[in-house]
Amino acid sequence: ARAAGGRGPKRLLMQSRSCSSEAKSCPRVSPFAFVAKNAVLVADVEVGEGSSIWYNCVVRGDVASIKIGKRTNIQDGTVIHVARAKDGKEKIDTIIGDGVTVGHMALLHACTIESHAFVGMKACVMDGAVIKTNGMLAAGALLTPGKVVGSGELWAGSPAKLKRMLTPKEIEGIRTSAADYESLAASYRSGSIRGSL
């Protein structure tokens, strides 16, 4: 909501959702999602119901598309982008499923994060890499191009490698994290928690 008598917050919100003449598309955000006022969404971006894009995020679908499913949280400072193949013709999308947690200041580039996966803070997922359902990439890890984190696996390090299998409690924690952020986002969306912008 815009502060009474001021144009700043409204102007910032409008700037945060930009269309691209090249992509011929504008961001499509569920009315039941939360997007922080200073998050930037560009061109072919879709955000599903119950999802949240937090402060200082950049989600740029200018040369390919970005799809973010339902009940997924993209935490503060995260950058999400896409790519083109070397021939300049094939588009490489970024696909993020339902119930995913992406930690603060992560970088996702032309990759796939399946439903109920977890990306730790400051982790980097590069072109063509995949994190399968119930997979986890540890904080600060670098998942190099084309690598696949299997279901129930924990990968860590730079470059990231398989460390061990997740416990049932850790897998349940992925769902708890997504549910907690869905609830928190609803509080922001309703205005019961207000940012300073």
Side-chain angles (χ1 to χ4, degrees):
R2 153 185 178 186
R7 294 185 179 180
K10 182 178 180 182
R11 182 166 61 252
L12 182 60
L13 180 59
M14 291 175 65
Q15 289 173 345
S16 74
R17 300 186 193 182
S18 302
C19 302
S20 166
S21 58
E22 180 178 359
K24 297 181 180 178
S25 184
C26 297
R28 302 170 304 286
V29 178
S30 166
F32 301 103
F34 168 74
V35 178
K37 289 181 180 178
N38 69 343
V40 177
L41 277 59
V42 177
D44 194 358
V45 173
E46 180 179 343
V47 180
E49 180 180 341
S51 288
S52 52
I53 314 295
W54 294 87
Y55 297 94
N56 294 317
C57 288
V58 176
V59 184
R60 184 156 59 93
D62 46 7
V63 298
S65 67
I66 296 171
K67 182 174 181 180
I68 298 169
K70 299 177 181 179
R71 302 177 303 281
T72 285
N73 60 93
I74 310 297
Q75 296 176 17
D76 314 68
T78 291
V79 174
I80 304 175
H81 195 220
V82 289
R84 277 183 173 157
K86 290 183 180 179
D87 61 11
K89 296 179 181 179
E90 182 186 358
K91 296 179 178 182
I92 307 174
D93 301 332
T94 294
I95 307 297
I96 304 171
D98 301 334
V100 172
T101 289
V102 178
H104 309 286
M105 299 179 69
L107 172 59
L108 308 182
H109 198 270
C111 59
T112 299
I113 315 296
E114 293 186 355
S115 295
H116 308 297
F118 186 99
V119 179
M121 294 182 288
K122 288 192 173 183
C124 177
V125 185
M126 298 183 68
D127 298 35
V130 178
I131 302 178
K132 295 284 191 178
T133 297
N134 295 332
M136 179 178 289
L137 184 64
L142 171 62
L143 191 63
T144 50
K147 295 293 185 181
V148 178
V149 176
S151 181
E153 294 179 353
L154 169 64
W155 286 47
S158 182
K161 296 180 180 180
L162 174 62
K163 295 298 180 183
R164 61 175 175 85
M165 300 303 292
L166 295 170
T167 66
K169 185 175 181 180
E170 289 169 330
I171 290 173
E172 181 60 31
I174 295 174
R175 285 162 171 74
T176 299
S177 174
D180 287 348
Y181 259 90
E182 182 182 8
S183 176
L184 183 61
S187 296
Y188 275 79
R189 197 175 64 246
S190 70
S192 61
I193 299 178
R194 295 180 180 271
S196 61
L197 295 175

